[in-house]
Amino acid sequence: QNLYSQFRSQGSAEPVRSLLPPRSGEAAVVHLEVTFSLAVPAGHRISFKSEGEQGGAVIDGASLVIQDRFQAVVATTTIVLEATNELSAVVLPNAEAGTVALEANLPYLMILSLVPPSTATTWTIETTPAAQESVTNTNDGETPAELPVETLGLALDATTEAPPGARRVVPLTITTSTAGLSSLVVIAPPGFEFPTNC
């Protein structure tokens, strides 16, 4: 699987943020490569659930895209079950009975929009017949989710004025929700520099 920032495909509009890794608490896109042991007939459901000790990712129900190995899109109708934070989709809902929607032993790319948490989570992916609770394919909830980087709070106090070329103290306050921050790199804007003893 791969987790991407929402800005990854917006290089012209977001030239800096499109280069950054996905951050917790911000919209992102996950790509999950899934192979099924049993074929999934048209009209069956596939569900995605993100779980963790402190909650899972918040899934956007309108975003599911399923692509086969030729990048053809498999039609679905989706719904998010907010009580369980689960996305459920019916594959090929309008196809004739007996049509195979997702073949066995072939890779499919599942693309979902979500907001990832800062803590470890896992994915549960299952298929079931539309009118039954019996599970036909499952990963047993053992697919770990990729962790995003933490979003840092940043406050810069530049309220005092100074003439060009002057040295001045600019307080910079950074807030983080974890104690794991071991280093920080601050890059000066063009035309500015930091003294060596800063």
Side-chain angles (χ1 to χ4, degrees):
Q1 69 162 309
N2 291 296
L3 185 66
Y4 300 106
S5 166
Q6 63 175 326
F7 302 109
R8 179 174 178 256
S9 61
Q10 303 174 25
S12 58
E14 297 284 352
V16 175
R17 290 201 281 187
S18 65
L19 302 174
L20 298 176
R23 301 190 296 183
S24 62
E26 291 186 354
V29 177
V30 65
H31 289 196
L32 298 164
E33 187 171 294
V34 178
T35 303
F36 301 96
S37 301
L38 299 175
V40 181
H44 280 218
R45 293 185 180 276
I46 181 169
S47 64
F48 301 86
K49 188 173 183 180
S50 173
E51 299 175 289
E53 288 184 8
Q54 298 180 18
V58 177
I59 302 171
D60 177 358
S63 69
L64 175 65
V65 175
I66 301 177
Q67 292 180 341
D68 66 15
R69 64 190 187 283
F70 304 111
Q71 296 188 336
V73 175
V74 178
T76 62
T77 57
T78 60
I79 183 172
V80 170
L81 309 174
E82 295 184 3
T84 56
N85 191 33
E86 181 178 352
L87 183 144
S88 178
V90 177
V91 291
L92 295 185
N94 300 317
E96 293 181 13
T99 302
V100 173
L102 305 170
E103 296 184 43
N105 303 313
L106 291 177
Y108 289 87
L109 181 63
M110 313 287 170
I111 304 172
L112 291 159
S113 294
L114 49 78
V115 177
S118 59
T119 54
T121 58
T122 57
W123 284 102
T124 299
I125 304 169
E126 295 179 338
T127 61
T128 57
Q132 302 176 26
E133 295 298 322
S134 58
V135 175
T136 54
N137 290 282
T138 182
N139 69 337
D140 295 320
E142 295 181 355
T143 302
E146 184 177 336
L147 277 174
V149 297
E150 184 184 350
T151 303
L152 300 177
L154 178 67
L156 182 69
D157 183 2
T159 54
T160 58
E161 295 184 7
R167 286 190 175 194
R168 59 179 293 202
V169 176
V170 178
L172 178 65
T173 305
I174 297 166
T175 55
T176 174
S177 62
T178 65
L181 187 63
S182 59
S183 66
L184 177 71
V185 176
V186 180
I187 301 172
F192 292 81
E193 62 182 30
F194 298 129
T196 55
N197 64 347
C198 179

